Amino acid sequence: MELLDGKFLAKAIKEELKEKIAGYKAQGWRAPHLCAILVGEDGASQTYVASKERDCKELGMDSTVLKFPAYISEDELLGEIEKVNINKNIDGLIVQMPVPEHISSLKVMNHIDPSKDVDGFHPMNVGMMFKGLDAFLPATPYGIMMMLERYKIETSGKHAVIIGRSDIVGKPMAALLMQNSNPGNCTVTVCHSRTKNLKELCLQADIIVAALGRPEFLKGDMVKEGAVVIDVGITRVDAENERGYVIKGDVAYDEVAPKSSYITPVPGGVGLMTRIGLLQNTLKAYEWHMKG
Ligand code: GUN
């Protein structure tokens, strides 16, 4: 069993990005600039946005966080998005999800300028991704693809089973793994809450992506010997420690790891690569904007 080490990989890629950005600045370009919009006081969202700010700073990127109260109206929020859309000094915009219930997340995603949509949530980017065209890829699937690529994991002709069909992980992951590309060229099965023979399907998988958000769902007896196991889960589970919780993945690591050829740990796996996905997208947006 070999670890797919997100910590090691994220650090290496960050160094590459840092160098690239320093090079652009040395030729007189301004810094890349990511803007995050945060609505309300959700603790997890605040933590995610703070880590994105830290990442930007570390790489020499500018970042702005626009905070709005949970009672902001949908129209007002769309107006704020519009201001960022037309701001030539901002390359990437994310609106941290979830937004309060009275605001349509669909309207929010559709309102972001596709050339600044570094989350890859706008239908134009989703469509381009599905067609295999150059687009912003959603950060988590993008991070996983980078991991497969850098660890030179053979995916061609392999059977990939994805557990979970969310718009931000399961669906795009399926699109990317089935693409005629490297990594890619998998035969893909997408499982979800209505799938009847989930265990049998998982036992046929050469690659499993567990992205359903249920702690330690994937057990040892659901995994074929030698499978590649990607754990996307990051659920906070109550614990008697200082923080009051521990982070659990969707994979029962102790049972699954001995059977797998490669596995991502939690923490230290996919989560860190997701952050790299966003940074890569921000740099891509910046290059597009600066080169016109
Ligand atoms: N909430 C949870 N994950 C994400 C993400 O990738 N992007 C945004 N904008 N919000 C999220």
Side-chain angles (χ1 to χ4, degrees):
M1 184 274 289
E2 193 176 333
L3 213 56
L4 294 171
D5 187 343
K7 203 170 173 181
F8 167 80
L9 208 51
K11 191 160 179 261
I13 297 176
K14 271 186 176 173
E15 286 307 316
E16 294 169 20
L17 296 178
K18 212 189 279 183
E19 222 169 274
K20 230 176 176 181
I21 291 164
Y24 287 134
K25 286 185 182 169
Q27 69 180 52
W29 288 13
R30 64 164 171 81
H33 189 167
L34 174 67
C35 176
I37 290 182
L38 184 58
V39 182
E41 305 282 335
D42 180 71
S45 292
Q46 286 174 337
T47 307
Y48 291 143
V49 168
S51 62
K52 288 164 188 173
E53 266 190 297
R54 263 199 318 277
D55 286 343
C56 285
K57 195 165 181 197
E58 190 184 337
L59 264 57
M61 291 186 181
D62 289 339
S63 68
T64 301
V65 180
L66 300 175
K67 292 184 182 165
F68 300 105
Y71 57 78
I72 188 174
S73 73
E74 188 178 84
D75 277 350
E76 266 180 285
L77 182 61
L78 297 180
E80 294 296 336
I81 291 171
E82 193 55 37
K83 284 186 205 163
V84 179
N85 281 345
I86 60 174
N87 185 335
K88 287 198 162 37
N89 290 316
I90 295 177
D91 302 294
L93 168 61
I94 61 165
V95 178
Q96 188 64 34
M97 299 292 167
V99 286
E101 266 180 25
H102 65 278
I103 296 172
S104 156
S105 57
L106 193 64
K107 275 194 196 164
V108 165
M109 289 173 201
N110 291 2
H111 211 73
I112 296 173
D113 178 338
S115 84
K116 298 192 177 187
D117 170 39
V118 287
D119 263 328
F121 291 170
H122 190 285
M124 182 180 282
N125 281 310
V126 176
M128 302 249 290
M129 175 200 64
F130 263 85
K131 286 175 75 71
L133 300 172
D134 193 17
F136 294 119
L137 306 179
T140 299
Y142 186 17
I144 293 170
M145 295 302 274
M146 279 189 260
M147 222 173 199
L148 295 172
E149 187 185 2
R150 299 261 177 155
Y151 274 89
K152 296 189 167 46
I153 294 189
E154 182 59 76
T155 57
S156 184
K158 304 291 184 188
H159 183 197
V161 170
I162 297 164
I163 314 173
R165 57 176 159 183
S166 70
D167 285 342
I168 66 173
V169 183
K171 286 183 199 169
M173 200 67 240
L176 295 172
L177 285 175
M178 77 168 96
Q179 212 78 253
N180 184 359
S181 60
N182 183 27
N185 280 319
C186 289
T187 301
V188 177
T189 301
V190 180
C191 298
H192 48 78
S193 53
R194 300 294 174 93
T195 299
K196 291 216 165 81
N197 49 347
L198 189 124
K199 184 175 172 184
E200 288 92 287
L201 289 165
C202 287
L203 280 166
Q204 292 168 28
D206 303 304
I207 300 167
I208 301 183
V209 180
L212 71 162
R214 273 173 57 183
E216 302 188 325
F217 174 84
L218 191 79
K219 304 282 191 262
D221 65 356
M222 297 166 77
V223 178
K224 183 171 81 173
E225 200 70 43
V228 176
V229 180
I230 311 287
D231 189 349
V232 181
I234 36 163
T235 307
R236 288 183 180 189
V237 175
D238 290 344
E240 286 178 11
N241 61 12
E242 230 170 72
R243 285 194 299 185
Y245 66 88
V246 287
I247 300 288
K248 290 268 184 203
D250 288 351
V251 175
Y253 185 88
D254 292 342
E255 293 177 24
V256 173
K259 297 183 83 175
S260 56
S261 56
Y262 292 91
I263 188 166
T264 63
V266 175
V270 172
L272 296 170
M273 293 306 294
T274 295
R275 285 161 60 177
I276 296 295
L278 177 68
L279 293 167
Q280 289 272 29
N281 279 342
T282 305
L283 189 60
K284 183 192 191 84
Y286 167 72
E287 286 168 345
W288 277 354
H289 294 146
M290 298 306 282
K291 290 173 186 169

Short mmCIF file of all heavy atoms in Angstrom, two decimals, residues 48 52 94-98 119 121 168, ligand 1:
data_model
loop_
_atom_site.label_atom_id
_atom_site.label_comp_id
_atom_site.label_asym_id
_atom_site.label_seq_id
_atom_site.Cartn_x
_atom_site.Cartn_y
_atom_site.Cartn_z
N TYR A 48 -13.09 27.58 5.87
CA TYR A 48 -12.64 27.34 4.49
C TYR A 48 -12.12 28.62 3.85
O TYR A 48 -11.06 28.63 3.22
CB TYR A 48 -13.79 26.79 3.62
CG TYR A 48 -14.22 25.39 3.97
CD1 TYR A 48 -15.56 25.02 3.91
CD2 TYR A 48 -13.29 24.41 4.34
CE1 TYR A 48 -15.98 23.73 4.22
CE2 TYR A 48 -13.70 23.13 4.65
CZ TYR A 48 -15.04 22.79 4.59
OH TYR A 48 -15.44 21.52 4.90
N LYS A 52 -8.36 29.63 2.40
CA LYS A 52 -8.13 30.09 1.03
C LYS A 52 -7.33 31.41 1.04
O LYS A 52 -6.43 31.61 0.23
CB LYS A 52 -9.47 30.29 0.30
CG LYS A 52 -10.14 28.96 -0.05
CD LYS A 52 -11.60 29.09 -0.41
CE LYS A 52 -12.25 27.71 -0.55
NZ LYS A 52 -13.71 27.75 -0.73
N ILE A 94 -15.28 33.43 -5.92
CA ILE A 94 -16.07 32.31 -5.40
C ILE A 94 -17.09 32.86 -4.41
O ILE A 94 -16.81 33.80 -3.67
CB ILE A 94 -15.20 31.24 -4.71
CG1 ILE A 94 -14.45 31.81 -3.53
CG2 ILE A 94 -14.22 30.60 -5.68
CD1 ILE A 94 -13.88 30.74 -2.62
N VAL A 95 -18.29 32.30 -4.45
CA VAL A 95 -19.27 32.59 -3.41
C VAL A 95 -19.35 31.33 -2.58
O VAL A 95 -19.74 30.26 -3.08
CB VAL A 95 -20.65 32.94 -4.02
CG1 VAL A 95 -21.66 33.18 -2.91
CG2 VAL A 95 -20.54 34.16 -4.92
N GLN A 96 -18.91 31.44 -1.34
CA GLN A 96 -18.85 30.24 -0.49
C GLN A 96 -20.25 29.68 -0.26
O GLN A 96 -21.17 30.40 0.12
CB GLN A 96 -18.17 30.59 0.85
CG GLN A 96 -17.87 29.40 1.74
CD GLN A 96 -16.87 28.42 1.14
OE1 GLN A 96 -15.94 28.81 0.43
NE2 GLN A 96 -17.05 27.13 1.41
N MET A 97 -20.40 28.38 -0.53
CA MET A 97 -21.68 27.71 -0.33
C MET A 97 -21.67 26.99 1.02
O MET A 97 -20.61 26.56 1.45
CB MET A 97 -21.93 26.71 -1.46
CG MET A 97 -21.99 27.34 -2.84
SD MET A 97 -23.44 28.36 -2.98
CE MET A 97 -23.07 29.26 -4.49
N PRO A 98 -22.79 26.81 1.69
CA PRO A 98 -24.13 27.17 1.25
C PRO A 98 -24.44 28.65 1.50
O PRO A 98 -23.86 29.27 2.40
CB PRO A 98 -25.01 26.29 2.13
CG PRO A 98 -24.22 26.07 3.38
CD PRO A 98 -22.79 26.09 2.99
N ASP A 119 -14.51 28.34 -9.25
CA ASP A 119 -15.12 27.12 -8.68
C ASP A 119 -15.54 26.15 -9.78
O ASP A 119 -15.80 24.98 -9.51
CB ASP A 119 -16.38 27.49 -7.88
CG ASP A 119 -16.12 27.63 -6.40
OD1 ASP A 119 -15.24 26.93 -5.87
OD2 ASP A 119 -16.83 28.44 -5.75
N PHE A 121 -18.42 26.27 -11.33
CA PHE A 121 -19.83 25.93 -11.09
C PHE A 121 -20.78 26.48 -12.16
O PHE A 121 -21.93 26.07 -12.23
CB PHE A 121 -20.29 26.48 -9.72
CG PHE A 121 -19.66 25.81 -8.52
CD1 PHE A 121 -19.83 26.36 -7.24
CD2 PHE A 121 -18.94 24.64 -8.64
CE1 PHE A 121 -19.27 25.75 -6.11
CE2 PHE A 121 -18.37 24.02 -7.52
CZ PHE A 121 -18.54 24.58 -6.26
N ILE A 168 -20.79 18.93 -7.37
CA ILE A 168 -19.42 19.45 -7.25
C ILE A 168 -18.35 18.35 -7.15
O ILE A 168 -17.18 18.64 -7.35
CB ILE A 168 -19.26 20.50 -6.11
CG1 ILE A 168 -19.48 19.90 -4.74
CG2 ILE A 168 -20.17 21.68 -6.31
CD1 ILE A 168 -19.14 20.89 -3.63
N1 GUN B 1 -18.76 24.88 -0.11
C1 GUN B 1 -18.25 23.64 0.00
N2 GUN B 1 -17.37 23.41 -0.99
C2 GUN B 1 -17.31 24.52 -1.74
C3 GUN B 1 -16.57 24.90 -2.88
O1 GUN B 1 -15.79 24.13 -3.45
N3 GUN B 1 -16.79 26.16 -3.34
C4 GUN B 1 -17.68 27.00 -2.78
N4 GUN B 1 -17.85 28.21 -3.33
N5 GUN B 1 -18.37 26.69 -1.70
C5 GUN B 1 -18.19 25.45 -1.19
#
